Amino acid sequence: AAGTSYGIESVAFGTISFFAGILGAMALAAYTMQHIVFALIFMIALGIASATSVRVGIAHGREDMPDRALAGWTGLALVVFALGSCGIGLLLWPTPIAALLTTDPALIAATAPLIVLSAYALIADGGQVVMASALRGAGETWVPTAMHIVSYFGVMIPGCWILAFPMGYGAAGLVGGIIAARDLFYKGEIAEEMVAFLNENDAPYNLADFAEFYARIEEQVSVSYRGYDVYKQPFNSQGPMLLQTLNILENYDLKAMG
């Protein structure tokens, strides 16, 4: 049963990587880098999960139900503390963390927001693997597997597809969690306060204007200028105009012109 769960998980995350590839090279690279960071931290949860399974199994074998429960809750508390601490680091330093994996400024810029989003998933994902291992230690092997089938194939894959493509969130949609943050800002108390302030200042906005808003993650455009790769935002911005200017200037010896 545990092997089936791991197989289901591998297929599910492989599918998400395939979705990232559809989005383009930059999205795939950013998602992969985020996943490397997430998976590295997740190894802590796997270690705690293995220890929890052993402790629960020992207590279950001697029919010590209070100690069995204590072992399970201790594992959960430990993973919440450990991964929560790591999540704080991801929230505070996403750009420096991304810069540890690449020197490409465009890729760093694309990866940092995904690292921030992944911080919110650490505790949930770490918690589920610890509790699933606790269940296996207690002799219940197929319930965790059934939960994985439902969560990965019934929720994660369809949810990521909808967020990334129909809703237009791109790579951020693959990471998930963005909906919770977006709803707080665009549909919750923050949105209500902004609308109230705007209305007080004669700006004709309402909650629907905020609730229906979304921002697409666009890939940067770039040119090579005298050995340097210069990246700018695409249309609608002045970025392409600057890049065209650099293409023109590259044909002139500016230093010689004084």
Side-chain angles (χ1 to χ4, degrees), residues 135-228:
L135 284 173
R136 295 188 182 105
E140 183 54 78
T141 58
W142 283 106
V143 168
T145 301
M147 293 169 63
H148 280 161
I149 293 174
V150 173
S151 61
Y152 286 130
F153 291 150
V155 178
M156 189 179 84
I157 292 177
C160 285
W161 173 267
I162 292 170
L163 287 170
F165 297 101
M167 296 187 68
Y169 289 119
L174 301 181
V175 178
I178 192 172
I179 293 302
R182 178 184 184 276
D183 284 353
L184 176 63
F185 189 87
Y186 289 105
K187 298 181 181 179
E189 294 181 2
I190 296 176
E192 292 174 356
E193 292 178 7
M194 288 191 293
V195 169
F197 175 82
L198 291 167
N199 291 162
E200 289 173 2
N201 290 273
D202 300 323
Y205 287 90
N206 57 51
L207 285 174
D209 295 321
F210 284 81
E212 295 170 1
F213 173 81
Y214 68 94
R216 294 183 181 275
I217 297 178
E218 303 284 356
E219 291 192 18
Q220 298 91 339
V221 291
S222 66
V223 299
S224 177
Y225 177 74
R226 303 185 189 278
Y228 294 93

Side-chain angles (χ1 to χ4, degrees), residues 60-170:
H60 182 74
R62 63 171 183 259
E63 298 184 352
D64 187 345
M65 298 303 105
D67 192 50
R68 186 180 75 167
L70 177 63
W73 287 116
T74 299
L76 181 61
L78 185 57
V79 81
V80 168
F81 174 77
L83 269 63
S85 300
C86 293
I88 292 173
L90 298 186
L91 290 173
L92 292 177
W93 303 292
T95 300
I97 291 172
L100 293 174
L101 301 176
T102 181
T103 57
D104 186 331
L107 184 52
I108 292 173
T111 304
L114 305 188
I115 290 177
V116 170
L117 291 174
S118 68
Y120 295 101
L122 277 174
I123 292 178
D125 206 18
Q128 67 85 16
V129 74
V130 167
M131 298 316 292
S133 296
L135 284 173
R136 295 188 182 105
E140 183 54 78
T141 58
W142 283 106
V143 168
T145 301
M147 293 169 63
H148 280 161
I149 293 174
V150 173
S151 61
Y152 286 130
F153 291 150
V155 178
M156 189 179 84
I157 292 177
C160 285
W161 173 267
I162 292 170
L163 287 170
F165 297 101
M167 296 187 68
Y169 289 119

Side-chain angles (χ1 to χ4, degrees), residues 39-50 78-79 82-83 86 130:
L40 181 63
I41 298 174
F42 189 71
M43 295 301 104
I44 300 173
L46 282 180
I48 296 173
S50 297
L78 185 57
V79 81
L83 269 63
C86 293
V130 167

